[in-house]
Amino acid sequence: MHRTLLRTSLTGATVTLVACAALGVLMALAAPMVHAQPAVGVLDAPPVNTYDSQGLLREQVEQTRSRRVERVFFGTGVMQRETVYAMNGEQAVREREVVFAPTGVMLREQRWVGGELSLDNEFLASGVMRSKREYTGLGPTRELRVQTFYSSGVLATEERYAAPSGSSQLTPIGVQRTHDSSGRLLQESTHDLQGRLVSQRQRSTQGDGLLPVTPNPR
């Protein structure tokens, strides 16, 4: 009798376990499927490509929740321009733009901070830097520093300007320098914060250093 009761008890437990397992499977099948949401910065959609009549890629747009990238291509497939925007809701704020030659060499790079131009570099087709314009400061104290270069890459000029935000007027301030193709200093002038010329020196024809230049009377 005890063996019969034990067998009955074990059989009942087995049936109970099987029933629970089956119920768990049914509940899992009935539960809604949850998909992981893409993280911020992950592409929300595949790139949008535009092709010409010959099937060559001419434009491409990549859009994410935080960034937008627009690209334009030459007919050869080489990238001509790339512009990067930061997304502020539905508003696109330009951050960087790069322009390339048909050979693929970068010709210009511009950067913006808060909607204002902060860097503007230009390059020759050889890849050598042609000029560099860098903005620092904000509002009325904003300044522009400019450097130009010879085709050899040697520094040609150094200039500094007051460039207040919202104004296109540039006022020379501080020290301005001019160099020859070997990098030797040819001329140096100094301006005060109002743009007035304070002093000026230039290299003599004998090449024996910089000599003061007497300003022309007004």
Side-chain angles (χ1 to χ4, degrees), residues 57-115:
L57 178 64
R58 301 309 298 265
E59 296 181 2
Q60 183 181 73
V61 177
E62 290 185 359
Q63 181 76 54
T64 74
R65 297 180 182 181
S66 60
R67 192 168 300 273
R68 177 183 175 90
V69 181
E70 298 177 357
R71 299 184 181 96
V72 178
F73 297 85
F74 290 105
T76 58
V78 175
M79 189 186 303
Q80 181 179 2
R81 185 177 67 252
E82 180 183 71
T83 308
V84 180
Y85 300 86
M87 299 303 299
N88 182 13
E90 295 184 357
Q91 182 182 8
V93 181
R94 187 165 50 176
E95 284 189 333
R96 181 174 182 262
E97 184 169 277
V98 184
V99 177
F100 298 91
T103 57
V105 174
M106 181 167 63
L107 297 179
R108 191 172 189 179
E109 178 190 23
Q110 293 176 290
R111 293 179 182 271
W112 289 262
V113 175

Side-chain angles (χ1 to χ4, degrees), residues 173-194:
I173 58 175
V175 178
Q176 327 286 318
R177 296 186 177 95
T178 302
H179 306 261
D180 65 14
S181 58
S182 66
R184 185 178 59 170
L185 183 61
L186 292 179
Q187 182 174 309
E188 181 181 85
S189 60
T190 304
H191 297 75
D192 63 17
L193 295 180
Q194 284 69 46

Side-chain angles (χ1 to χ4, degrees), residues 112-191:
W112 289 262
V113 175
E116 285 194 325
L117 186 64
S118 63
L119 184 69
D120 189 354
N121 293 336
E122 291 187 271
F123 302 85
L124 299 174
S126 62
V128 174
M129 179 171 284
R130 179 181 182 183
S131 65
K132 180 177 182 178
R133 301 167 65 89
E134 185 173 10
Y135 293 86
T136 59
L138 299 171
T141 62
R142 190 166 180 248
E143 293 185 8
L144 169 64
R145 293 180 182 269
V146 181
Q147 293 179 317
T148 62
F149 301 85
Y150 292 100
S151 59
S152 61
V154 173
L155 180 64
T157 63
E158 299 174 275
E159 301 169 348
R160 180 183 170 200
Y161 298 93
S165 298
S167 173
S168 59
Q169 182 177 358
L170 298 177
T171 303
I173 58 175
V175 178
Q176 327 286 318
R177 296 186 177 95
T178 302
H179 306 261
D180 65 14
S181 58
S182 66
R184 185 178 59 170
L185 183 61
L186 292 179
Q187 182 174 309
E188 181 181 85
S189 60
T190 304
H191 297 75

